[in-house]
Amino acid sequence: MVPHLITALSGPLLELESKVLEATPTIERWFRLEWQEHTPPFYCSVDLRNSGFKLAPVDTNLFPGGFNNLSPQMLPLAVQAAMAAIEKICPEAKNLLLIPERHTRNTFYLQNIARLSSILRQAGLNVRLGTLSDEIKKPTWIELPDGNRLLMEPLARLGLKKQRLGLKDFDPCSILLNNDLSAGIPPILENVYEQYLLPGLHAGWQTRRKSNHFAAYEEVAKKFSKVVDIDPWMISPFFTSCKNVNFHERKGEDELQAAVEQILKKTAKKYREYGIKEKPYVVVKADAGTYGMGVMVVHDPAELKDLNRKDRNKMSVVKEGLEVSDVLVQEGVYTFEKVNEAVAEPVVYMIDRYVIGGFYRVHTDRGPDENLNAPGMHFVPLAFEQNSMPDLQAKPGSAAPNRFYLYGVVARLALLAASLELERTDPDAEAA
């Protein structure tokens, strides 16, 4: 499925595609050298927006939860990437404990866990599921709509000193988190002994901040842009952050309005520079948190003065009741891609440093300037292994493989930014 762009690919993005295709060998070598210096997260997904004049990431998830939405054709590629990741971390790995989110009633999410488990098993690992849910006191089978089922088991501390984490009869060498720790870090996950915890606890929303990620991404984008000779703005959204905001008590409102105005002005200047007729907008989102919660689109700073109670409630609390006090103010990137006349945005999935596939998030009731990660969305899979090799003979803007290759390049820039972000916030690295 190749969504059509409702605006012709033009101006800066056409130039970007031309330059990226021309520089493909240089780009791949650049990534190879960067990965010698930095370690990618075990896995990652990146939300992109393509406006026809700009292509940029707007969110990077270190606990991706949509493996079930990927095309079945991508499984061999995912298995190979998982093998490479495990080989690098623990070559003799035999047992892997996968820790999912607490909720056990979201069947879409559980199908993601089933797909992820399947990929890891085919990579040569014994995979068991250890849950943090208080509801599960003993091994419990959960039936899935497709006829499969999952065995959820309560986590346990093992050994005399109880320093290793596992299940009653299962001692893993690696532990993979598919839980973003929005509710905080459970004590049972702390101080595990001689086990690889992937990713580290500092990747969870208890400590992670989107503003740190996009600061790292801005650096990566500037460095990359010198390699291919482009304006970094083509692939990077402007952003700033505001701390100590309280939407209920209307604290920090003036600072937030000033931040919105600042980003709108910077964006408007770029639009004038490139002759773009669209109206700039910003997205205000919780600096910590996921699932598309705590997100608001703003076209004018004055809109923040007139928020009703419903909007204030929506912005005050995100997943697991995490209260919002810090927000990211990010340049809004239009999405002018459509699937069957519904607005769509690509989401790219990676394991280790490899693009393994992706899908379009599609929403029939949302506009090109709105958050698509909302109830009512659906997914159309992409098989990147069939489409991510560029067609160097095609004219820029005309070939689907070239668009997908471009997505893979920008997504890998976000992956590299995530590795920098994790290095800089790693408490063990600071201690060393």
Side-chain angles (χ1 to χ4, degrees):
M1 169 60 73
V2 186
H4 64 276
L5 271 167
I6 57 174
T7 60
L9 187 64
S10 61
L13 199 57
L14 197 60
E15 182 189 352
L16 170 65
E17 186 180 298
S18 301
K19 288 187 172 180
V20 164
L21 294 177
E22 202 175 295
T24 296
T26 307
I27 289 168
E28 296 306 325
R29 179 177 180 272
W30 182 81
F31 272 120
R32 192 167 67 245
L33 294 176
E34 288 294 327
W35 293 128
Q36 287 176 16
E37 299 292 324
H38 307 287
T39 303
F42 182 84
Y43 54 11
C44 174
S45 69
V46 179
D47 295 3
L48 300 173
R49 306 270 286 200
N50 184 352
S51 60
F53 54 81
K54 177 172 183 142
L55 172 66
V58 293
D59 208 8
T60 299
N61 189 349
L62 297 180
F63 304 89
F67 282 91
N68 55 311
N69 296 318
L70 301 179
S71 163
Q73 290 98 310
M74 57 63 70
L75 281 174
L77 199 62
V79 170
Q80 287 178 338
M83 283 178 174
I86 291 293
E87 205 171 290
K88 197 161 58 178
I89 297 158
C90 180
E92 67 280 6
K94 179 183 175 185
N95 294 337
L96 181 137
L97 181 68
L98 177 55
I99 301 180
E101 293 282 358
R102 278 187 168 88
H103 47 66
T104 55
R105 294 182 180 85
N106 183 335
T107 54
F108 291 109
Y109 173 74
L110 293 174
Q111 285 172 305
N112 151 72
I113 291 296
R115 172 65 67 83
L116 182 55
S117 300
S118 172
I119 290 167
L120 295 167
R121 285 192 182 101
Q122 290 178 69
L125 295 164
N126 296 321
V127 181
R128 302 261 294 265
L129 306 180
T131 180
L132 293 164
S133 172
D134 297 329
E135 297 175 13
I136 294 180
K137 310 286 188 189
K138 61 181 182 180
T140 303
W141 287 101
I142 298 176
E143 304 294 329
L144 300 180
D146 59 5
N148 288 324
R149 58 182 192 160
L150 294 174
L151 181 62
M152 292 284 185
E153 303 180 68
L155 285 173
R157 285 284 197 176
L158 308 174
L160 292 174
K161 295 184 179 178
K162 297 191 180 294
Q163 288 179 301
R164 289 178 71 83
L165 185 61
L167 306 174
K168 195 174 178 183
D169 58 348
F170 188 74
D171 188 354
C173 77
S174 300
I175 300 162
L176 180 62
L177 287 174
N178 199 250
N179 182 311
D180 62 22
L181 306 178
S182 290
I185 299 172
I188 196 169
L189 294 184
E190 293 180 330
N191 304 315
V192 296
Y193 180 68
E194 291 187 347
Q195 290 174 304
Y196 296 95
L197 193 60
L198 308 167
L201 295 178
H202 64 294
W205 288 121
Q206 185 73 5
T207 48
R208 189 180 180 222
R209 294 294 176 268
K210 293 173 187 175
S211 50
N212 287 339
H213 174 74
F214 281 100
Y217 182 81
E218 193 173 60
E219 283 179 46
V220 169
K222 284 177 180 173
K223 194 173 176 182
F224 175 81
S225 297
K226 286 180 181 174
V227 173
V228 292
D229 186 29
I230 57 165
D231 180 350
W233 177 76
M234 289 185 203
I235 55 171
S236 182
F238 290 133
F239 76 96
T240 186
S241 59
C242 284
K243 298 190 181 300
N244 303 316
V245 177
N246 187 314
F247 286 94
H248 279 311
E249 297 176 13
R250 306 185 77 151
K251 287 182 180 172
E253 207 171 71
D254 291 345
E255 292 85 347
L256 184 55
Q257 285 181 51
V260 167
E261 189 170 7
Q262 174 200 344
I263 299 299
L264 284 172
K265 281 182 176 175
K266 286 176 75 172
T267 307
K269 186 179 177 185
K270 279 292 182 185
Y271 278 23
R272 286 194 298 273
E273 182 183 332
Y274 286 107
I276 295 161
K277 304 299 183 191
E278 309 299 332
K279 183 180 179 183
Y281 73 100
V282 302
V283 178
V284 177
K285 57 177 85 170
D287 207 5
T290 185
Y291 279 15
M293 300 173 76
V295 178
M296 177 171 56
V297 173
V298 182
H299 296 86
D300 186 317
E303 294 171 24
L304 294 167
K305 290 181 180 176
D306 305 318
L307 294 182
N308 58 35
R309 182 178 292 181
K310 183 182 175 184
D311 288 334
R312 291 183 189 281
N313 288 341
K314 186 180 81 170
M315 291 301 297
S316 295
V317 179
V318 291
K319 184 184 159 200
E320 299 277 11
L322 191 66
E323 290 191 12
V324 176
S325 61
D326 299 348
V327 296
L328 181 77
V329 179
Q330 187 179 63
E331 173 193 346
V333 180
Y334 284 92
T335 178
F336 286 134
E337 290 186 293
K338 283 198 167 187
V339 173
N340 298 329
E341 300 310 308
V343 174
E345 65 185 10
V347 184
V348 179
Y349 274 61
M350 290 157 285
I351 293 179
D352 196 66
R353 59 194 176 100
Y354 305 101
V355 173
I356 60 160
F359 53 80
Y360 275 94
R361 180 184 285 118
V362 183
H363 207 302
T364 54
D365 297 324
R366 294 284 168 117
D369 60 347
E370 292 184 282
N371 173 32
L372 304 188
N373 190 359
M377 62 183 165
H378 66 276
F379 307 99
V380 176
L382 290 167
F384 268 76
E385 76 279 11
Q386 296 174 350
N387 296 310
S388 64
M389 296 307 295
D391 180 356
L392 301 179
Q393 307 306 316
K395 291 180 181 178
S398 65
N402 293 348
R403 197 193 305 180
F404 296 151
Y405 177 68
L406 203 53
Y407 290 164
V409 168
V410 176
R412 284 183 287 161
L413 293 176
L415 180 73
L416 180 55
S419 67
L420 292 176
E421 172 197 358
L422 291 176
E423 283 169 20
R424 290 167 184 176
T425 55
D426 185 348
D428 294 333
E430 288 173 18

